[in-house]
């Protein structure tokens, strides 16, 4: 069964095609880049509307697949920016009607986990999901994916972007800060905001800008911000592994492209005897293939929605959607 997936939760419009064994047949993506500042939802949605027809054509051509071979059309239903989600959902509904194929809604966060699970072969990993708008530790338990910990304010990626823009740079800030951090030497004191299983970033942003106002060098700031915020993320991931007795962690989201974060999580996992898998960077970022693959799993469980029930859900919570394709793993010893 070849499934086509449509991703449009934020700045990336993407179309992916996968087959039965999660082979990614094609991914065609185009990212909206704001001229200045952060993402403007309506401008991003206009961008998506403009590029989607070409992306669908390109994905089919690159995969060598004909429209009639597509057996289901999946789309990211949420969470995300309303105007952007609506653009992608409209494309998915159109293709579903045009090709007379089932329409399958997918949760974007679950999709990051499912594609990493498929590519790694790990059966029951937890996901550290670090993207622009989302920061969550997610694990499966009792029929659905559960959020074990998350940001109490902004997503780690938005935090890095905001900081970089305040320092005079342009979106996206994460990769630029990563390059800058490599030149940093001094670890400046920043608030380490772990609250139980949750984290917060806005206090670090304020403190980093205060250091800057007092003359701190940009590389030192970048190095300190990465060290502190990635240590926080590694800590809650470790606690989740321990409490849920999971034996593997996978990464997802744009910030998971970061070498330092990958290394810190890998060292933590290996220290506990757990497996760690970081997908290729093209899979960490938002992409249509992960939506297609999760749609494939959902369709395999008989899930599909009629057009009139296919509304977007900008605030859809990871733990409000079912995952009937998962079998409950045997309970760990002693639990
Ligand atoms: P996503 O929302 O998953 O598409 O990811 C976009 C976010 O990832 C943006 O906030 C970027 O700044 C961030 N990002 C991308 N590459 C890196 C990197 N190498 N290090 C840190 N953050 C990154
Ligand atoms: Mg994402």
């Amino acid at each position: 069964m070849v499934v086509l997936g449509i991703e449009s939760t934020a700045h990336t419009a993407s179309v992916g095609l996968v087959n039965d064994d999660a082979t990614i047949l094609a991914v065609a993506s185009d990212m909206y880049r704001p001229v200045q500042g952060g993402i403007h939802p309506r401008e991003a949605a206009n961008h998506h509307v403009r590029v989607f027809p070409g992306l669908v054509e390109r994905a089919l051509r690159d995969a060598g697949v004909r429209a009639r071979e597509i057996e289901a059309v999946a789309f990211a239903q949420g969470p995300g920016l309303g105007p952007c989600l609506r653009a992608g959902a409209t494309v998915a509904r159109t293709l579903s009607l045009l090709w007379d194929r089932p329409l399958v809604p997918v949760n974007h966060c679950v999709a990051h986990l499912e594609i990493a699970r498929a590519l790694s072969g790990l059966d029951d990993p937890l996901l550290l999901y670090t993207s622009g708008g989302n920061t969550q530790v997610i694990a499966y338990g009792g029929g659905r994916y559960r959020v074990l910990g998350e940001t109490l304010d902004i997503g780690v990626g938005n935090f890095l972007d905001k900081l970089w823009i305040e320092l005079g740079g342009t979106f996206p800030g994460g990769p630029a800060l990563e390059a800058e951090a490599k030149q940093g030497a001094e670890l400046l004191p920043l608030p380490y905001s772990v609250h139980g299983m949750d984290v917060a970033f806005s206090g670090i942003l304020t403190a980093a800008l205060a250091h800057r106002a007092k003359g701190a060098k940009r590389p030192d700031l970048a190095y300190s911000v990465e060290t502190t915020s990635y240590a926080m993320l590694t800590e809650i991931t470790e606690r989740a592994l321990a409490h849920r007795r999971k034996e593997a962690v996978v990464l997802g989201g744009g910030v998971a492209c970061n070498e330092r974060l990958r290394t810190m999580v890998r060292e933590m996992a290996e220290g506990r005897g757990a497996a760690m898998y970081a997908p290729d960077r093209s899979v960490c970022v938002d992409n249509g293939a992960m939506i297609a693959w999760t749609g494939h799993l959902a369709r395999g469980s008989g899930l599909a929605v009629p057009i009139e029930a296919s509304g977007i859900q900008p605030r859809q919570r990871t733990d409000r959607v079912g995952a009937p394709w998962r079998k409950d793993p045997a309970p760990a010893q002693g639990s």
Side-chain angles (χ1 to χ4, degrees):
M1 171 164 69
V2 177
V3 177
L4 180 143
I6 301 271
E7 159 61 33
S8 73
T9 53
H11 43 62
T12 301
S14 180
V15 178
L17 289 163
V18 299
N19 69 8
D20 291 325
D21 56 7
T23 301
I24 299 175
L25 303 174
V27 180
S29 304
D30 197 315
M31 187 175 153
Y32 154 80
R33 285 174 193 273
V35 185
Q36 61 173 46
I39 301 178
H40 187 298
R42 191 157 33 81
E43 275 179 20
N46 289 343
H47 161 270
H48 297 352
V49 168
R50 210 166 45 246
V51 300
F52 260 128
L55 294 178
V56 172
E57 263 179 40
R58 200 169 95 209
L60 289 173
R61 195 174 56 239
D62 290 355
V65 166
R66 286 171 217 217
R68 65 169 182 279
E69 294 172 67
I70 309 280
E71 291 185 57
V73 178
F75 72 102
Q77 188 175 35
L81 303 170
C84 299
L85 285 167
R86 213 164 283 124
T90 304
V91 174
R93 289 181 199 120
T94 307
L95 295 177
S96 157
L97 288 172
L98 185 69
W99 297 336
D100 191 22
R101 291 291 185 266
L103 183 61
V104 186
V106 165
N107 176 278
H108 175 91
C109 311
V110 169
H112 274 290
L113 198 154
E114 287 299 353
I115 194 72
R117 199 162 74 90
L119 296 176
S120 65
L122 293 166
D123 180 45
D124 187 31
L126 62 79
L127 169 73
L128 172 61
Y129 176 33
T130 52
S131 73
N134 298 290
T135 300
Q136 297 183 332
V137 178
I138 301 171
Y140 178 78
R144 56 186 61 221
Y145 285 104
R146 316 268 170 183
V147 178
L148 304 180
E150 64 189 314
T151 178
L152 297 172
D153 46 31
I154 50 177
V156 60
N158 283 356
F159 153 65
L160 298 173
D161 295 336
K162 218 169 161 32
L163 174 65
W164 185 242
I165 289 167
E166 294 277 351
L167 293 176
T170 54
F171 176 88
L177 279 166
E178 175 166 34
E180 195 92 340
K182 292 197 175 121
Q183 317 301 322
E186 192 189 346
L187 187 61
L188 303 163
L190 292 169
Y192 186 90
S193 298
V194 172
H195 306 274
M197 286 300 296
D198 299 325
V199 288
F201 297 103
S202 52
I204 309 181
L205 180 64
T206 308
L209 293 176
H211 278 303
R212 180 65 173 168
K214 286 192 219 131
K217 296 198 200 81
R218 226 161 61 164
D220 292 338
L221 266 183
Y223 170 70
S224 307
V225 161
E226 282 203 344
T227 305
T228 304
S229 47
Y230 298 163
M232 287 159 41
L233 294 169
T234 306
E235 180 183 329
I236 61 167
T237 307
E238 176 163 29
R239 197 169 305 130
L241 277 173
H243 281 304
R244 299 303 291 248
R245 298 198 172 97
K246 301 277 183 187
E247 282 162 5
V249 54
V250 295
L251 299 184
V255 183
C257 294
N258 187 281
E259 205 50 59
R260 195 101 192 281
L261 178 63
R262 288 171 174 240
T263 305
M264 286 166 83
V265 176
R266 173 165 286 116
E267 284 174 358
M268 176 278 290
E270 286 173 0
R272 306 183 51 81
M276 181 301 198
Y277 174 76
D280 185 77
R281 287 172 174 74
S282 61
V283 179
C284 283
V285 299
D286 292 346
N287 65 87
M290 68 184 192
I291 305 298
W293 174 242
T294 311
H296 190 294
L297 293 170
R299 184 67 200 135
S301 302
L303 295 183
V305 287
I307 299 282
E308 55 277 18
S310 67
I312 57 158
Q313 295 185 19
R315 293 179 181 278
Q316 187 178 64
R317 290 280 300 176
T318 306
D319 41 18
R320 295 305 293 269
V321 296
W325 57 87
R326 288 285 312 253
K327 288 191 289 291
D328 275 311
Q333 292 287 315
S335 65

Short mmCIF file of all heavy atoms in Angstrom, two decimals, residues 36-64:
data_model
loop_
_atom_site.label_atom_id
_atom_site.label_comp_id
_atom_site.label_asym_id
_atom_site.label_seq_id
_atom_site.Cartn_x
_atom_site.Cartn_y
_atom_site.Cartn_z
N GLN A 36 11.69 38.89 7.81
CA GLN A 36 12.25 39.27 9.11
C GLN A 36 11.34 38.73 10.22
O GLN A 36 10.16 38.46 9.98
CB GLN A 36 12.40 40.78 9.23
CG GLN A 36 11.08 41.54 9.12
CD GLN A 36 11.29 43.02 9.42
OE1 GLN A 36 12.22 43.61 8.92
NE2 GLN A 36 10.43 43.58 10.24
N GLY A 37 11.92 38.57 11.42
CA GLY A 37 11.13 38.07 12.55
C GLY A 37 10.82 36.59 12.43
O GLY A 37 11.46 35.87 11.67
N GLY A 38 9.82 36.14 13.20
CA GLY A 38 9.45 34.72 13.21
C GLY A 38 8.39 34.42 12.16
O GLY A 38 8.15 35.21 11.24
N ILE A 39 7.73 33.25 12.32
CA ILE A 39 6.74 32.81 11.33
C ILE A 39 5.49 33.68 11.40
O ILE A 39 4.94 33.88 12.48
CB ILE A 39 6.31 31.36 11.59
CG1 ILE A 39 7.51 30.43 11.54
CG2 ILE A 39 5.26 30.91 10.59
CD1 ILE A 39 7.15 28.98 11.84
N HIS A 40 5.04 34.16 10.26
CA HIS A 40 3.75 34.84 10.18
C HIS A 40 2.77 33.81 9.61
O HIS A 40 2.87 33.43 8.44
CB HIS A 40 3.86 36.06 9.26
CG HIS A 40 2.63 36.90 9.25
ND1 HIS A 40 1.42 36.43 8.81
CD2 HIS A 40 2.42 38.18 9.62
CE1 HIS A 40 0.51 37.38 8.92
NE2 HIS A 40 1.10 38.46 9.42
N PRO A 41 1.80 33.33 10.45
CA PRO A 41 0.99 32.18 10.02
C PRO A 41 0.31 32.36 8.66
O PRO A 41 0.29 31.44 7.86
CB PRO A 41 -0.04 32.03 11.14
CG PRO A 41 0.60 32.64 12.34
CD PRO A 41 1.47 33.76 11.82
N ARG A 42 -0.26 33.54 8.41
CA ARG A 42 -1.00 33.70 7.15
C ARG A 42 -0.06 33.71 5.95
O ARG A 42 -0.34 33.10 4.93
CB ARG A 42 -1.87 34.97 7.20
CG ARG A 42 -2.87 35.07 6.07
CD ARG A 42 -4.05 35.97 6.41
NE ARG A 42 -3.70 37.07 7.29
CZ ARG A 42 -3.12 38.22 6.89
NH1 ARG A 42 -2.81 38.40 5.64
NH2 ARG A 42 -2.84 39.16 7.77
N GLU A 43 1.09 34.38 6.14
CA GLU A 43 2.08 34.38 5.04
C GLU A 43 2.59 32.96 4.78
O GLU A 43 2.78 32.56 3.63
CB GLU A 43 3.28 35.25 5.41
CG GLU A 43 3.09 36.70 5.11
CD GLU A 43 4.32 37.50 5.55
OE1 GLU A 43 5.40 36.91 5.71
OE2 GLU A 43 4.15 38.71 5.74
N ALA A 44 2.80 32.21 5.86
CA ALA A 44 3.28 30.82 5.70
C ALA A 44 2.22 30.00 4.96
O ALA A 44 2.55 29.22 4.06
CB ALA A 44 3.57 30.20 7.06
N ALA A 45 0.94 30.20 5.33
CA ALA A 45 -0.13 29.45 4.67
C ALA A 45 -0.21 29.81 3.19
O ALA A 45 -0.40 28.93 2.33
CB ALA A 45 -1.47 29.74 5.36
N ASN A 46 -0.06 31.09 2.87
CA ASN A 46 -0.07 31.51 1.45
C ASN A 46 1.08 30.83 0.69
O ASN A 46 0.91 30.38 -0.45
CB ASN A 46 0.07 33.03 1.32
CG ASN A 46 -1.19 33.75 1.78
OD1 ASN A 46 -2.25 33.13 1.89
ND2 ASN A 46 -1.08 35.03 2.07
N HIS A 47 2.22 30.75 1.34
CA HIS A 47 3.37 30.06 0.74
C HIS A 47 3.00 28.60 0.44
O HIS A 47 3.24 28.09 -0.66
CB HIS A 47 4.56 30.13 1.69
CG HIS A 47 5.62 29.10 1.41
ND1 HIS A 47 5.61 27.84 2.00
CD2 HIS A 47 6.70 29.12 0.59
CE1 HIS A 47 6.64 27.13 1.56
NE2 HIS A 47 7.32 27.90 0.70
N HIS A 48 2.37 27.94 1.43
CA HIS A 48 2.03 26.52 1.27
C HIS A 48 1.05 26.31 0.10
O HIS A 48 1.21 25.39 -0.69
CB HIS A 48 1.42 25.96 2.56
CG HIS A 48 2.37 25.98 3.73
ND1 HIS A 48 3.71 26.32 3.62
CD2 HIS A 48 2.17 25.71 5.05
CE1 HIS A 48 4.28 26.24 4.80
NE2 HIS A 48 3.38 25.88 5.69
N VAL A 49 0.04 27.19 0.04
CA VAL A 49 -0.95 27.07 -1.04
C VAL A 49 -0.26 27.17 -2.40
O VAL A 49 -0.55 26.43 -3.33
CB VAL A 49 -2.04 28.17 -0.90
CG1 VAL A 49 -2.91 28.25 -2.14
CG2 VAL A 49 -2.90 27.91 0.34
N ARG A 50 0.73 28.08 -2.46
CA ARG A 50 1.44 28.30 -3.73
C ARG A 50 2.28 27.08 -4.13
O ARG A 50 2.33 26.70 -5.29
CB ARG A 50 2.35 29.52 -3.55
CG ARG A 50 2.59 30.31 -4.78
CD ARG A 50 3.20 31.69 -4.53
NE ARG A 50 4.30 31.70 -3.58
CZ ARG A 50 4.26 32.30 -2.39
NH1 ARG A 50 3.19 32.93 -1.99
NH2 ARG A 50 5.31 32.28 -1.59
N VAL A 51 2.95 26.46 -3.14
CA VAL A 51 3.92 25.41 -3.52
C VAL A 51 3.35 24.00 -3.57
O VAL A 51 3.93 23.13 -4.23
CB VAL A 51 5.17 25.42 -2.59
CG1 VAL A 51 5.86 26.76 -2.65
CG2 VAL A 51 4.81 25.04 -1.15
N PHE A 52 2.21 23.76 -2.89
CA PHE A 52 1.73 22.37 -2.78
C PHE A 52 1.49 21.66 -4.13
O PHE A 52 1.90 20.49 -4.28
CB PHE A 52 0.49 22.26 -1.90
CG PHE A 52 0.81 21.81 -0.50
CD1 PHE A 52 0.36 22.51 0.61
CD2 PHE A 52 1.57 20.66 -0.28
CE1 PHE A 52 0.66 22.09 1.91
CE2 PHE A 52 1.88 20.24 1.01
CZ PHE A 52 1.42 20.96 2.09
N PRO A 53 0.84 22.31 -5.11
CA PRO A 53 0.60 21.56 -6.37
C PRO A 53 1.91 21.04 -6.97
O PRO A 53 2.00 19.87 -7.39
CB PRO A 53 -0.07 22.60 -7.28
CG PRO A 53 -0.69 23.58 -6.32
CD PRO A 53 0.23 23.63 -5.13
N GLY A 54 2.95 21.88 -6.97
CA GLY A 54 4.24 21.47 -7.52
C GLY A 54 4.88 20.36 -6.69
O GLY A 54 5.52 19.45 -7.23
N LEU A 55 4.68 20.42 -5.37
CA LEU A 55 5.29 19.39 -4.50
C LEU A 55 4.65 18.03 -4.72
O LEU A 55 5.34 17.00 -4.72
CB LEU A 55 5.15 19.80 -3.03
CG LEU A 55 5.93 21.05 -2.58
CD1 LEU A 55 5.64 21.36 -1.11
CD2 LEU A 55 7.44 20.86 -2.79
N VAL A 56 3.32 18.02 -4.90
CA VAL A 56 2.62 16.74 -5.15
C VAL A 56 3.16 16.13 -6.45
O VAL A 56 3.52 14.94 -6.50
CB VAL A 56 1.09 16.95 -5.23
CG1 VAL A 56 0.39 15.66 -5.68
CG2 VAL A 56 0.53 17.42 -3.88
N GLU A 57 3.25 16.96 -7.47
CA GLU A 57 3.76 16.47 -8.77
C GLU A 57 5.17 15.93 -8.64
O GLU A 57 5.51 14.87 -9.15
CB GLU A 57 3.78 17.63 -9.78
CG GLU A 57 2.57 17.67 -10.67
CD GLU A 57 2.64 18.85 -11.63
OE1 GLU A 57 3.74 19.15 -12.14
OE2 GLU A 57 1.60 19.48 -11.83
N ARG A 58 6.03 16.70 -7.92
CA ARG A 58 7.43 16.32 -7.80
C ARG A 58 7.57 15.01 -7.02
O ARG A 58 8.35 14.13 -7.41
CB ARG A 58 8.20 17.44 -7.10
CG ARG A 58 9.69 17.37 -7.34
CD ARG A 58 10.35 18.64 -6.86
NE ARG A 58 10.86 18.48 -5.51
CZ ARG A 58 10.98 19.46 -4.63
NH1 ARG A 58 10.59 20.69 -4.94
NH2 ARG A 58 11.48 19.24 -3.44
N ALA A 59 6.79 14.86 -5.95
CA ALA A 59 6.89 13.64 -5.13
C ALA A 59 6.50 12.41 -5.96
O ALA A 59 7.18 11.38 -5.93
CB ALA A 59 6.02 13.76 -3.89
N LEU A 60 5.40 12.55 -6.72
CA LEU A 60 4.95 11.41 -7.56
C LEU A 60 6.01 11.07 -8.61
O LEU A 60 6.34 9.90 -8.84
CB LEU A 60 3.62 11.75 -8.24
CG LEU A 60 2.39 11.82 -7.33
CD1 LEU A 60 1.18 12.34 -8.10
CD2 LEU A 60 2.07 10.44 -6.73
N ARG A 61 6.56 12.12 -9.21
CA ARG A 61 7.56 11.90 -10.27
C ARG A 61 8.81 11.25 -9.68
O ARG A 61 9.32 10.26 -10.20
CB ARG A 61 7.89 13.25 -10.92
CG ARG A 61 8.64 13.13 -12.24
CD ARG A 61 8.81 14.49 -12.92
NE ARG A 61 9.48 15.44 -12.08
CZ ARG A 61 8.97 16.62 -11.70
NH1 ARG A 61 7.78 16.99 -12.12
NH2 ARG A 61 9.64 17.44 -10.92
N ASP A 62 9.32 11.80 -8.56
CA ASP A 62 10.55 11.26 -7.96
C ASP A 62 10.37 9.81 -7.53
O ASP A 62 11.30 9.01 -7.58
CB ASP A 62 10.96 12.09 -6.74
CG ASP A 62 11.46 13.47 -7.15
OD1 ASP A 62 11.57 13.74 -8.37
OD2 ASP A 62 11.73 14.30 -6.25
N ALA A 63 9.16 9.47 -7.07
CA ALA A 63 8.91 8.10 -6.59
C ALA A 63 8.62 7.16 -7.75
O ALA A 63 8.65 5.94 -7.59
CB ALA A 63 7.73 8.10 -5.62
N GLY A 64 8.32 7.73 -8.92
CA GLY A 64 7.92 6.88 -10.05
C GLY A 64 6.59 6.19 -9.77
O GLY A 64 6.37 5.04 -10.19
#
